[in-house]
């Protein structure tokens, strides 16, 4: 929330040029489009895929909806995609939306929210996010989903006009209405034609922590001993639920070394498994290096974060 607030803050934007290569940065989404085309051409070169007769089903670990939105753009660019599968963890707002047409926050607190592993980056959330073994997907709402809704609203509600500018304005007003309800009421419901338009391109699967651990273990036991991180394991779990689909691509979105404790939880008892064999050379000794941290009190809010950034930039300028 603070990152979004900073980008929308006129005071800091008057003096700083902020950039963040996170999931709400559209430049990152543009780069992620290449994953889908690379997968397509890899399948073509394999000789097992006939591009004139088959389409591909992509299964994507999804939290903030950036990576799978890139897949949507790839499809709109002409890539033969039969379905984009939203593979989510127990923070399942997107799964619930595709089932009901309702996009609603369902915060949990206390014991109901507890889970995941602190060593892998899990943090308690005052907003009510469920803590899981796949912390990069622990979200209450998906920041990029409103971008998809804009395109859907553009096509559904702008169908009566041929004026491109009018279509854009209609879509913008509709998304603004939905987002306003999300902020004030905690959710909104879309009309049937909107949900049908989303479901034409997307499906969704919800995967639990227990299923994630089981998939990491099962895939490791296969020939080759491939080691999945918990986020990628969610995609593989979802893909395995649709064995009749001949051509599926499950996107791997993280290295297992980044989520070491979850991987060790799944594979500690497996014969021949040693986590040091997974650790990239660049990671060796990293835990012994000094850390540089800057703290801002939550009570100081956006004002405190703004001051920290300005002060740090000024310090760097004095070194020049």
């Amino acid at each position: 929330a603070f990152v979004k607030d900073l980008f929308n803050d006129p005071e800091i934007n008057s003096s700083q040029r902020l950039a963040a290569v996170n999931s709400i940065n559209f430049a990152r989404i543009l780069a992620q489009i290449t994953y889908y085309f690379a997968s397509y051409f890899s399948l073509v070169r394999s000789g097992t895929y006939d591009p004139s007769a088959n389409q591909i089903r992509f299964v994507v670990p999804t939290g903030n909806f950036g990576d799978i939105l890139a897949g949507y753009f790839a499809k709109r660019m002409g890539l033969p995609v039969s379905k984009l599968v939203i593979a989510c963890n127990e923070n399942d707002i997107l799964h619930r939306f595709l089932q009901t047409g309702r996009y609603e926050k369902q915060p949990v607190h206390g014991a109901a929210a507890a889970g995941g592993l602190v060593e892998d980056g899990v943090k308690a959330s005052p907003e009510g996010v469920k803590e899981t073994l796949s912390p990069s997907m622990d979200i209450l709402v998906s920041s990029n989903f409103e971008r998809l809704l804009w395109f859907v609203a553009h096509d559904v509600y702008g169908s009566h006009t041929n004026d491109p500018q009018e279509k854009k304005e209609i879509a913008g007003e509709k998304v603004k209405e939905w987002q306003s309800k999300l902020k004030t009421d905690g959710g909104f419901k879309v009309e049937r034609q909107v949900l049908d338009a989303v479901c034409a391109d997307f499906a969704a699967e919800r995967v639990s922590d227990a299923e994630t651990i089981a998939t990491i273990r099962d895939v490791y036991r296969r020939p080759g001993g491939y080691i999945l991180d918990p986020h990628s394991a969610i995609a593989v779990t979802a893909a395995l639920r649709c064995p009749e689909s001949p051509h599926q691509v499950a996107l791997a979105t993280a290295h297992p070394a980044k989520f070491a404790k979850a991987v060790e939880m799944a594979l500690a008892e497996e014969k021949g498994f040693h986590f040091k064999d997974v650790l990239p050379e660049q990671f060796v000794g990293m835990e012994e290096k000094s850390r540089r941290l800057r703290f801002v009190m939550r009570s100081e809010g956006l004002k405190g974060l703004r001051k920290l950034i300005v002060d740090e930039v000024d310090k760097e300028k004095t070194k020049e």
Side-chain angles (χ1 to χ4, degrees), residues 11 125 146 161 194 231 267 272 274 286 296:
E11 183 173 338
S125 168
E146 62 191 82
T161 178
V194 173
H231 304 75
L267 302 179
H274 302 286
M286 184 175 291
V296 178

Side-chain angles (χ1 to χ4, degrees), residues 5-318:
D5 290 343
L6 279 171
F7 279 106
N8 292 322
D9 179 41
E11 183 173 338
I12 198 165
N13 281 311
S14 66
S15 62
Q16 311 295 330
R17 294 184 178 181
L18 298 180
V21 189
N22 59 10
S23 58
I24 62 173
N25 186 324
F26 200 75
R28 172 168 160 172
I29 294 171
L30 290 176
Q32 288 171 322
I33 292 172
T34 62
Y35 302 168
Y36 296 86
F37 283 94
S39 300
Y40 168 78
F41 288 116
S42 179
L43 275 173
V44 170
R45 288 192 297 268
S46 73
T48 63
Y49 170 74
D50 180 359
S52 65
N54 301 117
Q55 290 190 321
I56 308 169
R57 189 173 185 263
F58 286 94
V59 189
V60 189
T62 303
N64 253 345
F65 206 78
D67 202 349
I68 200 165
L69 183 64
Y72 174 74
F73 292 145
K75 182 175 183 178
R76 288 180 73 108
M77 291 167 69
L79 196 69
V81 179
S82 64
K83 196 71 76 174
L84 293 157
V85 182
I86 301 164
C88 61
N89 62 19
E90 293 166 74
N91 294 287
D92 60 353
I93 186 171
L94 294 169
H95 181 262
R96 287 185 277 111
F97 174 82
L98 265 72
Q99 306 302 312
T100 66
R102 294 183 179 276
Y103 191 73
E104 296 175 323
K105 299 178 184 179
Q106 287 190 359
V108 292
H109 299 278
L117 298 164
V118 174
E119 297 91 338
D120 285 350
V122 165
K123 298 177 181 178
S125 168
E127 297 177 342
V129 175
K130 175 76 172 75
E131 300 167 8
T132 74
L133 297 176
S134 45
S136 297
M137 293 161 56
D138 288 350
I139 49 89
L140 196 61
V141 296
S142 295
S143 299
N144 285 297
F145 191 61
E146 62 191 82
R147 285 172 164 157
L148 171 71
L149 291 177
W150 187 92
F151 281 93
V152 174
H154 178 276
D155 294 344
V156 171
Y157 296 110
S159 59
H160 68 279
T161 178
N162 292 321
D163 183 349
Q165 185 58 35
E166 186 179 359
K167 285 178 180 282
K168 293 175 183 177
E169 291 174 358
I170 290 170
E173 285 301 315
K174 198 65 187 177
V175 172
K176 183 179 179 181
E177 174 191 324
W178 287 328
Q179 291 299 112
S180 177
K181 287 183 179 179
L182 179 65
K183 183 174 290 187
T184 58
D185 302 337
F188 58 85
K189 189 178 190 303
V190 299
E191 295 176 339
R192 185 75 232 182
Q193 63 264 41
V194 173
L195 181 59
D196 287 345
V198 174
C199 290
D201 292 316
F202 294 89
E205 295 286 346
R206 179 184 187 275
V207 178
S208 69
D209 276 351
E211 292 171 310
T212 300
I213 290 295
T215 297
I216 294 173
R217 187 178 298 124
D218 292 345
V219 169
Y220 179 76
R221 289 174 178 174
R222 296 184 180 191
Y226 190 87
I227 299 174
L228 291 166
D229 85 281
H231 304 75
S232 307
I234 287 175
V236 172
T237 305
L240 291 173
R241 291 176 183 171
C242 190
E244 68 276 8
S245 182
H247 297 288
Q248 292 194 94
V249 175
L251 272 68
T253 52
H255 193 285
K258 189 176 179 181
F259 304 97
K261 292 298 179 183
V263 172
E264 287 185 307
M265 180 187 296
L267 302 179
E269 303 300 320
E270 295 299 307
K271 184 178 180 181
F273 171 74
H274 302 286
F275 194 80
K276 62 179 179 61
D277 298 332
V278 181
L279 201 64
E281 180 182 344
Q282 296 85 343
F283 278 34
V284 175
M286 184 175 291
E287 292 185 354
E288 282 72 50
K289 293 184 180 296
S290 60
R291 298 183 180 186
R292 292 186 293 175
L293 302 173
R294 299 291 184 273
F295 293 96
V296 178
M297 297 298 294
R298 181 175 291 275
S299 59
E300 296 178 11
L302 181 63
K303 182 179 179 181
L305 191 57
R306 184 195 301 128
K307 183 178 184 303
L308 172 69
I309 292 172
V310 172
D311 289 348
E312 289 298 315
V313 170
D314 287 344
K315 286 179 185 177
E316 290 299 317
K317 286 181 178 179
T318 60

